[in-house]
Amino acid sequence: MFDENMCKIIVVTGTPGTGKTSVARKVAERLKCRVIGLSEFALRKNLVSRYIEHLGSYDIEPEKMKKALEEECKPEELILIEGHVVDVIPAEYVELAIVLRLNPLELEKRLKERGYSEEKILVNVQSEILDSCLIDAIANFGKEKVFELDTTGKDLEKVVNEVLYIIKERKDYRPGQVDWLDFLEEKSLLNKYMR
Ligand SMILES: Nc1ncnc2c1ncn2[C@@H]1O[C@H](COP(=O)(O)OP(=O)(O)OP(=O)(O)O)[C@@H](O)[C@H]1O
Ligand SMILES: [Mg+2]
């Protein structure tokens, strides 16, 4: 049950490759708080049923995961949670969720550098174009708690500073500013990712 003295969770989410792990680790250092990476946590706690190859992510049982995360929460502790699946996070403890966005052309480059297969790249780039992580975050935590940060062309330090600003100020960066469909249409690149 919800306990107001329980921990407070800040979520960093986004499509694979947008920089969640890099950003969350630096932000946690600056805030002197713990960071939990969802995939690593689920593996460590044995909550993974299978690896979904084309998505590049693990299938995690939401209820078990929520319970394990709740057990992890200490009263009044601030915890940063980073991962691209948010329906496994106990929403009542979430203070805010920041969705990292990245231009699809940049994301494609990053995922290629990682050696991902063409299918895995396409699935992830498409989900970035279609705002999947943003929609999931809003569906799970409500629009008021969700912030959207376009990281395109910003180095890690800049992104970290903007995340810290959002956490501190809780303003600006409202969802709905990023529109990759519009961007791709303007550049006549829509067909590149639609099939
Ligand atoms: N702001 C940035 N500018 C340039 N490169 C970055 C930036 N942030 C992260 N990267 C690089 O992008 C790659 C992906 O970053 P990272 O692993 O943090 O992403 P992720 O969102 O955690 O991915 P996954 O969901 O697969 O775990 C890494 O090589 C990282 O060094
Ligand atoms: Mg990561």
Side-chain angles (χ1 to χ4, degrees):
M1 278 317 279
F2 182 69
D3 171 354
E4 63 178 19
N5 295 318
M6 270 305 261
C7 74
K8 293 175 171 46
I9 295 172
I10 293 173
V11 176
V12 176
T13 186
T15 310
T18 50
K20 302 177 294 292
T21 306
S22 324
V23 171
R25 283 185 182 162
K26 289 262 176 213
V27 170
E29 262 173 39
R30 300 269 286 268
L31 294 176
K32 298 188 174 35
C33 71
R34 247 193 323 157
V35 58
I36 294 178
L38 282 180
S39 303
E40 179 272 329
F41 180 82
L43 282 171
R44 184 156 50 85
K45 298 276 177 184
N46 238 336
L47 301 169
V48 164
S49 42
R50 69 189 171 109
Y51 184 70
I52 311 167
E53 182 57 38
H54 71 286
L55 293 178
S57 68
Y58 295 98
D59 197 6
I60 302 170
E61 293 181 49
E63 289 316 312
K64 281 191 188 166
M65 185 73 173
K66 270 188 195 168
K67 206 156 167 270
L69 285 170
E70 272 174 7
E71 282 165 11
E72 203 60 27
C73 278
K74 295 194 185 73
E76 304 194 16
E77 189 191 3
L78 176 71
I79 302 182
L80 220 61
I81 295 184
E82 60 95 2
H84 97 274
V85 181
V86 293
D87 64 352
V88 300
I89 301 171
E92 60 271 43
Y93 301 116
V94 172
E95 289 259 302
L96 70 154
I98 299 165
V99 185
L100 302 183
R101 305 301 307 269
L102 182 61
N103 183 292
L105 303 177
E106 281 302 310
L107 182 63
E108 184 184 16
K109 248 191 249 165
R110 262 195 219 172
L111 297 178
K112 263 191 188 147
E113 278 165 17
R114 269 191 182 179
Y116 276 19
S117 70
E118 261 183 46
E119 195 202 352
K120 208 153 133 183
I121 293 172
L122 184 65
V123 168
N124 283 307
V125 171
Q126 282 178 339
S127 77
E128 177 60 23
I129 294 169
L130 297 174
D131 306 328
S132 301
C133 286
L134 181 73
I135 292 166
D136 285 352
I138 292 173
N140 279 282
F141 310 126
K143 199 170 178 184
E144 289 313 306
K145 288 185 184 173
V146 177
F147 295 82
E148 180 180 46
L149 172 49
D150 183 3
T151 67
T152 313
K154 296 171 184 168
D155 65 17
L156 188 56
E157 183 63 16
K158 182 158 174 55
V159 176
V160 168
N161 283 332
E162 291 187 23
V163 168
L164 289 165
Y165 171 90
I166 295 170
I167 294 171
K168 192 161 166 261
E169 302 291 337
R170 319 251 163 144
K171 61 175 190 185
D172 310 325
Y173 302 91
R174 301 311 310 180
Q177 290 159 59
V178 166
D179 190 340
W180 300 139
L181 275 175
D182 198 40
F183 165 84
L184 291 170
E185 198 181 7
E186 257 179 40
K187 302 244 178 260
S188 305
L189 283 171
L190 259 186
N191 290 341
K192 183 170 157 70
Y193 301 111
M194 298 301 147
R195 71 161 144 89

